[in-house]
Amino acid sequence: MKLLYSLTSPYARKVRIVAAEKRIAIDLQVVVLADPDCPVFLHNPLGKIPVLIMDDGESLYDSSVIVDYLDQRTPVSHLIPQDSKSKFQVKRWESLADGVCDAGVAVMVEQRRPENLQDPNWIKKQWNKVDLGLKALDEDLGSNKFCVGETFSLADIALVCVLGYLDLRFDYKVDLENRYPNLARLNASLASRPSIAETLPPKA
Ligand SMILES: N[C@@H](CCC(=O)N[C@@H](CS)C(=O)NCC(=O)O)C(=O)O
């Protein structure tokens, strides 16, 4: 199996962390989306990463499908719980964390346009989604040790990925420590976990 990814993609990071946690070996191929010869469109008509190319040439996307697939490949250390109540709680965390990422990506894309073409209302609307999403996650987490239940799961992974992305692109302009202290606490407590430390996006 081969993963097309970039070092800064939070969605691809989620897949890399899951693969590491599950001890599933995957060939990693960095792609540059702006490159006209980028192979992603050959495997995903949407041209987005991550894409997992299977040994038979079939491809899987998007990240939530890939992590579900990887989690089911081995019965050990499930990151998506088996019982349906916890499973859908975890999936909701993933959806919300990914949705906050989507809003953050939208801000970044808009801010890369020439300043006179940027739409401040659009940026404000996306920041509002970031804020409301993080607020909901922070309240949901409360003083719990993990996002869902008593064990580390895909919900924690999705959280770490969105927070890492916000730090990378906006240097925590969101003021994580003061505005979302529960998320800040969990993020700090997971930072040294090898799968998380080894996939930290490069700041340079
Ligand atoms: N929902 C998708 C989002 C993937 C996504 O937006 N990836 C970005 C990179 S971080 C991308 O490929 N952007 C290129 C584009 O939108 O054309 C997932 O979870 O995999």
Side-chain angles (χ1 to χ4, degrees):
M1 286 188 295
K2 183 162 74 179
L3 184 74
L4 305 185
Y5 80 112
S6 76
L7 289 170
T8 55
S9 166
Y11 315 98
R13 186 180 181 204
K14 203 171 55 167
V15 173
R16 289 156 66 213
I17 294 174
V18 167
E21 291 287 336
K22 303 280 293 182
R23 309 255 187 282
I24 296 172
I26 298 181
D27 293 335
L28 296 171
Q29 183 182 340
V30 170
V31 295
V32 178
L33 290 167
D35 184 340
D37 295 326
C38 180
V40 168
F41 271 107
L42 300 174
H43 304 281
N44 177 356
L46 300 177
K48 294 185 179 204
I49 50 171
V51 181
L52 185 69
I53 305 169
M54 324 281 274
D55 293 338
D56 64 3
E58 280 284 316
S59 54
L60 278 187
Y61 45 84
D62 61 3
S63 63
S64 65
V65 174
I66 301 173
V67 295
D68 204 342
Y69 170 75
L70 294 177
D71 197 46
Q72 288 185 39
R73 256 181 87 102
T74 66
V76 289
S77 308
H78 274 298
L79 296 163
I80 301 173
Q82 302 290 285
D83 78 281
S84 64
K85 182 163 182 244
S86 309
K87 172 180 165 175
F88 289 113
Q89 283 174 338
V90 166
K91 299 292 272 181
R92 193 179 78 156
W93 263 86
E94 183 192 19
S95 283
L96 191 44
D98 283 6
V100 172
C101 268
D102 295 343
V105 169
V107 171
M108 185 207 61
V109 169
E110 188 69 11
Q111 288 180 336
R112 282 186 175 174
R113 303 175 76 212
E115 209 162 336
N116 61 325
L117 296 180
Q118 291 177 24
D119 179 351
N121 286 330
W122 170 255
I123 293 176
K124 202 170 153 197
K125 188 173 163 188
Q126 300 306 320
W127 270 124
N128 193 42
K129 291 176 196 253
V130 171
D131 177 45
L132 292 177
L134 293 179
K135 211 178 272 172
L137 293 174
D138 192 69
E139 279 168 20
D140 205 0
L141 177 62
S143 59
N144 296 331
K145 186 169 177 209
F146 295 110
C147 298
V148 176
E150 302 300 315
T151 50
F152 180 75
S153 74
L154 177 62
D156 304 287
I157 295 172
L159 174 68
V160 162
C161 292
V162 64
L163 296 182
Y165 182 76
L166 292 173
D167 182 29
L168 173 73
R169 294 296 184 215
F170 308 107
D171 211 7
Y172 283 143
K173 175 178 177 269
V174 293
D175 194 10
L176 193 68
E177 297 286 339
N178 291 311
R179 292 178 58 89
Y180 320 102
N182 301 321
L183 301 185
R185 170 187 50 79
L186 179 55
N187 192 44
S189 81
L190 292 173
S192 59
R193 198 172 173 105
S195 64
I196 288 170
E198 285 158 17
T199 55
L200 205 61
K203 275 229 168 178

